[in-house]
């Protein structure tokens, strides 16, 4: 897809980021992309306040812009010598066009160049094997670290009792 740019978001982008993430993860109606988890978790994926809280030291949000607005976003958070990558979202109508892959590559580059990360980590839901496979094709492997769905985080309520969050990791090759 041509006609887009990837750059660091600012707090002025917070409303659009929250909307994009909620459309991608928990869409209303039938506007489902392949990454949605509406059948697994109810409620908002992220609030405006949670997005605003991401704009701090050691944390960056990248956005992909077009003349029509935001197409994709991803969050990078420094955690010692590692960086967590999360909140990777593309508009459902633009999925399967390589935007997510481009955003993941940009996030990995930022993590290594800006934060000096020697490993990259992310969390995926156990009930999303297609998402796990997507990240495995990009070099991530399961670490074995698992925890219950984080009800305390305010990222929705599981519709199933067996949801587990699994950690994946990828070493940075210099």
């Amino acid at each position: 897809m041509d006609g887009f740019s990837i750059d660091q978001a600012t707090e002025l982008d917070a409303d659009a980021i929250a909307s994009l993430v909620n459309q991608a993860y928990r869409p209303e109606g039938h506007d489902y992309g392949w990454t949605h988890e509406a059948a697994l978790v109810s409620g908002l994926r992220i609030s405006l306040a949670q997005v605003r809280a991401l704009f701090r030291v050691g944390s960056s949000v990248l956005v992909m812009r077009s003349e029509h607005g935001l197409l994709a976003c991803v969050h990078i958070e420094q955690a010692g010598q590692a960086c967590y990558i999360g909140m990777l979202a593309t508009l459902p109508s633009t999925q399967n066009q390589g935007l997510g892959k481009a955003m993941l590559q940009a996030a990995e580059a930022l993590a290594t160049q800006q934060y000096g990360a020697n490993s990259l980590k992310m969390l995926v839901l156990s009930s999303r094997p297609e998402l796990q496979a997507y990240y495995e094709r990009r070099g991530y492997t399961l670490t074995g670290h698992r925890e219950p769905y984080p009800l305390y985080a305010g990222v929705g309520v599981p519709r199933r009792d067996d949801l587990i969050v699994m950690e994946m990791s990828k070493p940075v090759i210099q």
Side-chain angles (χ1 to χ4, degrees), residues 14-125:
D15 282 321
I17 291 168
S19 177
L20 169 66
V21 171
N22 287 315
Q23 285 178 58
Y25 284 85
R26 315 269 169 72
E28 295 180 7
H30 299 289
D31 192 22
Y32 295 144
W34 77 272
T35 61
H36 84 89
E37 55 190 34
L40 301 171
V41 182
S42 66
L44 292 178
R45 166 60 176 80
I46 198 161
S47 69
L48 179 57
Q50 288 170 318
V51 172
R52 286 185 176 143
L54 299 176
F55 296 98
R56 63 184 186 282
V57 174
S59 174
S60 298
V61 179
L62 294 177
V63 292
M64 180 182 287
R65 301 176 195 277
S66 78
E67 61 187 28
H68 304 292
L70 295 189
L71 300 175
C73 66
V74 65
H75 176 233
I76 303 95
E77 176 130 12
Q78 187 176 21
Q81 293 298 306
C83 275
Y84 274 91
I85 296 175
M87 203 176 74
L88 178 60
T90 61
L91 283 177
S93 62
T94 64
Q95 290 184 1
N96 295 315
Q97 297 180 32
L99 305 184
K101 182 178 177 182
M103 291 302 291
L104 182 59
Q105 289 171 337
E108 291 173 348
L110 185 142
T112 57
Q113 294 165 10
Q114 184 169 321
Y115 297 120
N118 62 19
S119 68
L120 307 167
K121 297 182 178 193
M122 64 178 55
L123 303 173
V124 297
L125 289 178

